[in-house]
Amino acid sequence: MYEIEEYVKKGYCSKADFEKALQAHQSYIASIRSDQREAAAAEMPGFGYYEPLQLSATDDELFKQPPPNADCPLCSIPLPLFSENALARRYQSCCGQIICGGCMWPVEYPLYGSGAPVPCPSCNTLNSEDEKEIVKGLMKRADEKDVYAMTLLGTRFAEGSVVPKSMHRAIEIWEEAAGLGGILACNTLGNIYKPGSLNDIDDTGIDKDWKEACRYYAKAAKGNHDLARYNLGVLENNHGSKIKAMKHMLIGAASGHDDALTLVKQGLTDHRVTKEEYDNALRAYKESKKLMDNAQRDKPKAWMERMNMMKVLSGGRRGPGTAGELLKEGCKIEQARKKRGNRRR
């Protein structure tokens, strides 16, 4: 019914039609409601009939356009979106800086696979590509309450990389980082709490909860985590709040998220978005893309797409991995390709 109220405001239907629809809706719900069905709906969120997710307490703040991404400290261009590939932004535990892939690529790529330490473009510290040294650097930064380092360290505990595998410890670290304002940790916790994902079979020991997932997604979205904003919109849509969902997609599109813009186009066709709203979102989308555009950043993106395609063609597993793992694996693939080319000559 929330959507019909919005349609009245936008002039898509009259107030009299809305009142008739409301009366019919209330009569229908009263006719099908029973204690047994209420219990079943509570046990199975996302199925049957259910009330929309209630985030109204934060709606005013949540539906404001978030601040733009911070600038890369080297090229002074806004950092890529969080939804970009693993090479788009790189965290440097030596100085705590987040550097865009375009600035890391000229320094990092030529040295990967050689075993030589990689100099940080920001502070010139030589960083080993050994995972033990990387984790040691993350632990040092985490002790200083660096939320980005804490989030990455939590991922190491979740994967059992160098440190003992422990989802309980990972969640503790992520929750502490989220409490300190870490939007990356908030998005991670949203993924953990969301029911119906692969996380249902892990050893987290936490109760899956739609509202808890949305609470963390909302915190991340307010900090301009574009993927959290998109996920929040999808969850709102699946729980019956289609107008709220479209509001999230409009904000996500304005931030430069491709999939959000696609859904906004669909909303224009479905009359959930006005032509003016769509035009404004498209204009903001193009502006965001222009601000983040950098020819140097296209190189790691194109390289990663080529490596993924080569994996698919060779029957290899295609997965996100860490940026370091992707570069190492990609270098091996390219070296093997060059050897085959030399033998043919």
Side-chain angles (χ1 to χ4, degrees), residues 164 189 245:
L189 287 168

Side-chain angles (χ1 to χ4, degrees), residues 29-140:
I29 292 298
S31 68
I32 65 171
R33 183 161 288 175
S34 69
D35 293 341
Q36 188 175 2
R37 287 180 177 178
E38 291 285 353
E43 291 296 323
M44 299 176 66
F47 298 90
Y49 69 88
Y50 40 77
E51 295 300 322
L53 293 167
Q54 296 300 320
L55 290 172
S56 56
T58 58
D59 279 356
D60 291 342
E61 186 177 356
L62 184 59
F63 290 116
K64 291 179 180 178
Q65 189 68 35
N69 286 339
D71 291 345
C72 170
L74 300 184
C75 64
S76 299
I77 297 174
L79 288 167
L81 300 176
F82 284 92
S83 56
E84 293 278 356
N85 65 53
L87 303 180
R89 48 167 68 201
R90 303 299 306 278
Y91 174 78
Q92 300 295 98
S93 60
C94 49
C95 56
Q97 296 283 5
I98 302 171
I99 300 173
C100 76
C103 292
M104 283 297 305
W105 190 251
V107 177
E108 190 175 36
Y109 178 69
L111 295 174
Y112 259 106
S114 67
V118 180
C120 171
S122 180
C123 66
N124 292 322
T125 300
L126 293 176
N127 294 315
S128 171
E129 60 182 57
D130 180 63
E131 184 66 12
K132 290 182 180 179
E133 293 299 319
I134 293 174
V135 171
K136 189 182 296 184
L138 291 176
M139 285 182 168
K140 182 179 178 181

Side-chain angles (χ1 to χ4, degrees), residues 82-325:
F82 284 92
S83 56
E84 293 278 356
N85 65 53
L87 303 180
R89 48 167 68 201
R90 303 299 306 278
Y91 174 78
Q92 300 295 98
S93 60
C94 49
C95 56
Q97 296 283 5
I98 302 171
I99 300 173
C100 76
C103 292
M104 283 297 305
W105 190 251
V107 177
E108 190 175 36
Y109 178 69
L111 295 174
Y112 259 106
S114 67
V118 180
C120 171
S122 180
C123 66
N124 292 322
T125 300
L126 293 176
N127 294 315
S128 171
E129 60 182 57
D130 180 63
E131 184 66 12
K132 290 182 180 179
E133 293 299 319
I134 293 174
V135 171
K136 189 182 296 184
L138 291 176
M139 285 182 168
K140 182 179 178 181
R141 297 293 305 182
D143 288 340
E144 298 172 6
K145 303 304 179 185
D146 183 323
V147 293
Y148 211 101
M150 293 168 71
T151 306
L152 297 180
L153 181 61
T155 302
R156 295 310 197 281
F157 275 100
E159 296 173 348
S161 177
V162 177
V163 294
K165 184 174 181 178
S166 172
M167 282 300 299
H168 294 287
R169 179 64 182 132
I171 290 172
E172 285 179 359
I173 296 173
W174 288 330
E175 287 181 340
E176 184 180 0
L180 294 172
I183 63 174
L184 189 62
C186 288
N187 182 68
T188 302
L189 287 168
N191 294 334
I192 291 292
Y193 277 99
K194 183 176 68 175
S197 65
L198 291 177
N199 294 319
D200 282 334
I201 62 174
D202 63 27
D203 60 346
T204 57
I206 64 172
D207 294 330
K208 302 297 179 177
D209 188 330
W210 289 111
K211 290 185 179 180
E212 194 69 5
C214 280
R215 185 173 72 85
Y216 279 113
Y217 280 146
K219 290 180 68 175
K222 283 186 282 187
N224 202 20
H225 194 298
D226 62 301
L227 193 53
R229 173 76 65 179
Y230 179 80
N231 288 337
L232 188 58
V234 170
L235 289 181
E236 288 278 19
N237 182 76
N238 293 344
H239 281 74
S241 298
K242 298 186 183 296
I243 296 297
K244 282 187 178 182
M246 195 51 61
K247 287 182 178 179
H248 286 301
M249 295 308 170
L250 284 166
I251 295 172
S255 298
H257 194 279
D258 297 336
D259 292 339
L261 181 65
T262 300
L263 291 180
V264 170
K265 289 180 183 177
Q266 183 179 332
L268 179 63
T269 305
D270 298 340
H271 302 293
R272 285 185 283 150
V273 174
T274 65
K275 185 66 167 61
E276 182 182 4
E277 288 173 329
Y278 171 72
D279 289 342
N280 290 338
L282 181 60
R283 193 179 303 113
Y285 169 86
K286 291 179 178 179
E287 185 63 27
S288 295
K289 288 292 189 184
K290 184 178 179 181
L291 288 174
M292 294 183 288
D293 186 41
N294 183 333
Q296 186 68 18
R297 292 181 181 181
D298 292 336
K299 294 180 180 179
K301 185 186 298 185
W303 181 87
M304 185 172 176
E305 289 174 355
R306 189 171 73 253
M307 289 302 105
N308 277 335
M309 183 56 66
M310 291 176 71
K311 289 181 197 177
V312 172
L313 293 175
S314 62
R317 181 181 65 84
R318 179 179 180 179
T322 64
E325 290 169 350

